[in-house]
Amino acid sequence: MKITEHIKAAKGKTLFSFEILPPLKGQHIQSIFDGIDPLMEFNPPFIDVTYHREEYVYIEQPNGFLEKRVVRKRPGTVGICAAIQNKYGIDAVPHILCGGFTKEDTENFLIDLDFLGIKNVMALRGDAVKSETYFKPEPKGNNFASDLVIQISQMNDGKYLDTPLEKNHTTDFCVGVAGYPEKHMEAPSLDNDIEKLKAKVAAGAEYVVTQMFFDNKKYFEFVEKCRLSGITVPIIPGLKPLATKRQLTNIPHRFHVDMPEALISEVTKCHNNEEVREVGVEWCIAQSKELIASGVDVLHYYSMGKSTNIHKIASSVF
Ligand code: FAD
């Protein structure tokens, strides 16, 4: 089913969903199932699976020169989605990026997803790879997530890259896109970023999932601004429980989100990460309860492959 259909079928009840990362190369699919199994009691109608671009490693050669080698540390997004749909009978939502893909790669990726019966995709630009300062699309690739949404919408209309074809099967993907309550790090302003979000919706996106935030006020204000700008699709809040003291600084650095003073103060008092995890879970429970009371369609948790914290939160919220 499409995410939008799940939301409609829930008739106002807030749904539980979460996002997982493919395991590091070399691990077994069981490591994914071990993270999902404990969360199945909360009836997630869908699970997102992230996509990870290539990275580079430098390997020293016998002659002393360094050889640059491309590695993909977390392959397997499509296979994991198929395995989830097969094992649990629920929808898996693969993330798909502009970065690293030509439009033809994208088309082939989408054809695979369609053949596997995957109904939803999360369309993202992706970040710059470590060797670049700014994001660079592939030659003949999509530049922004809105371009990717256009390509998916065209396939939904039966338009492929090398038309005319003998048959033009119309795919039927429901497309999600990212939204940033505290604005995307490259956007000149929040209003400007919301205009770009509006373009993604105009291109065919049917729902938005937000970047993590730790202050619900930021989410409520963002939703209000989006509604005022004419965006009417569901805006699903993304939540992540804090788990280590280091995250107090590396989450703002990596994701450009602020930490509320009260949370900083609680975490600073902790003697170890066990205590930080308790604070993070309690904070996330409070955020979740307030968001449910406000009537959000879905609560989407960033599990980062670890289900224990999410289980504690879901047990007290759902
Ligand atoms: P876009 O919507 O293309 O926006 C990127 C920037 O360009 C923004 O500043 C925007 O304001 C600006 N912009 C957009 N359109 C235009 C235009 N036409 N002209 C000028 N400027 C424009 N990354 C991964 O690598 N893998 C994942 O699985 C993944 N999952 C994610 C899931 C969620 C819910 C979120 C919030 C992020 C995820 N990311 C993932 C990170 C994401 O790839 C980065 O945040 C990336 O930098 C931006 O992606 P986007 O789709 O928001 O880009």
Side-chain angles (χ1 to χ4, degrees):
M1 249 162 87
K2 295 181 177 190
I3 304 307
T4 45
E5 291 168 346
H6 284 299
I7 290 173
K8 226 179 252 166
K11 295 192 174 125
K13 184 174 173 282
T14 303
L15 299 167
F16 164 77
S17 80
F18 59 98
E19 175 180 299
I20 58 169
L21 275 67
L24 286 167
K25 194 192 280 191
Q27 291 188 31
H28 193 264
I29 186 79
Q30 190 56 44
S31 63
I32 285 289
F33 297 152
D34 290 345
I36 295 175
D37 285 343
L39 300 176
M40 287 308 290
E41 65 175 285
F42 307 109
N43 300 318
F46 65 93
I47 298 173
D48 274 51
V49 184
T50 56
Y51 188 92
H52 298 263
R53 278 189 73 174
E54 72 282 4
E55 291 178 29
Y56 298 101
V57 288
Y58 289 89
I59 296 170
E60 192 168 346
Q61 301 300 298
N63 62 9
F65 285 115
L66 292 178
E67 186 200 346
K68 186 177 172 187
R69 197 174 291 172
V70 176
V71 291
R72 193 175 290 281
K73 291 188 176 161
R74 293 181 185 274
T77 299
V78 176
I80 292 168
C81 286
I84 289 174
Q85 297 210 156
N86 190 31
K87 180 172 163 70
Y88 301 100
I90 60 174
D91 286 298
V93 185
H95 291 194
I96 174 169
L97 306 181
C98 302
F101 282 73
T102 63
K103 283 189 186 175
E104 195 180 355
D105 295 334
T106 302
E107 187 171 275
N108 292 336
F109 191 91
L110 292 165
I111 288 171
D112 278 344
L113 300 182
D114 185 51
F115 287 172
L116 285 167
I118 288 167
K119 284 272 158 244
N120 304 280
V121 286
M122 184 77 187
L124 301 142
R125 188 196 69 178
D127 285 319
V129 288
K130 281 191 185 123
S131 54
E132 297 166 354
T133 311
Y134 294 104
F135 172 81
K136 248 200 245 141
E138 286 298 300
K140 298 195 180 157
N142 288 306
N143 202 353
F144 294 107
S146 52
D147 302 324
L148 176 55
V149 180
I150 289 171
Q151 187 178 359
I152 303 169
S153 298
Q154 284 174 343
M155 276 184 70
N156 281 348
D157 288 337
K159 289 187 199 130
Y160 291 75
L161 294 174
D162 46 355
T163 41
L165 296 173
E166 218 172 284
K167 287 226 155 78
N168 285 59
H169 163 67
T170 53
T171 55
D172 191 20
F173 290 113
C174 172
V175 185
V177 289
Y180 301 83
E182 297 175 63
K183 97 172 178 67
H184 183 258
M185 65 184 96
E186 296 162 26
S189 72
L190 181 58
D191 286 346
N192 185 278
D193 205 24
I194 289 174
E195 277 309 303
K196 308 299 180 203
L197 178 60
K198 204 174 158 188
K200 295 195 268 194
V201 175
E206 293 185 68
Y207 69 99
V208 175
V209 180
T210 75
Q211 182 58 279
M212 65 182 78
F213 55 89
F214 295 86
D215 179 353
N216 285 352
K217 200 166 159 258
K218 301 264 168 79
Y219 170 81
F220 294 132
E221 286 171 1
F222 174 67
V223 173
E224 202 181 326
K225 274 180 175 265
C226 288
R227 299 301 180 225
L228 281 173
S229 83
I231 296 170
T232 56
V233 299
I235 301 177
I236 298 174
L239 294 177
K240 178 183 158 37
L242 216 62
T244 66
K245 227 173 209 184
R246 262 200 86 197
Q247 287 174 343
L248 261 195
T249 49
N250 65 19
I251 286 182
H253 177 70
R254 167 97 179 73
F255 299 102
H256 295 249
V257 298
D258 280 349
M259 294 286 172
E261 291 302 336
L263 179 59
I264 299 170
S265 150
E266 285 307 305
V267 171
T268 310
K269 281 186 225 151
C270 294
H271 297 97
N272 51 49
N273 281 339
E274 194 48 48
E275 289 178 17
V276 176
R277 271 192 286 279
E278 276 173 38
V279 169
V281 164
E282 286 311 314
W283 190 272
C284 195
I285 289 172
Q287 275 194 282
S288 303
K289 287 185 172 167
E290 190 183 23
L291 288 163
I292 291 176
S294 79
V296 295
D297 299 305
V298 184
L299 282 179
H300 189 70
Y301 294 94
Y302 296 111
S303 80
M304 310 288 187
K306 297 192 180 69
S307 53
T308 321
N309 291 1
I310 308 298
H311 189 274
K312 280 189 192 157
I313 295 160
S315 300
S316 114
V317 170
F318 287 92

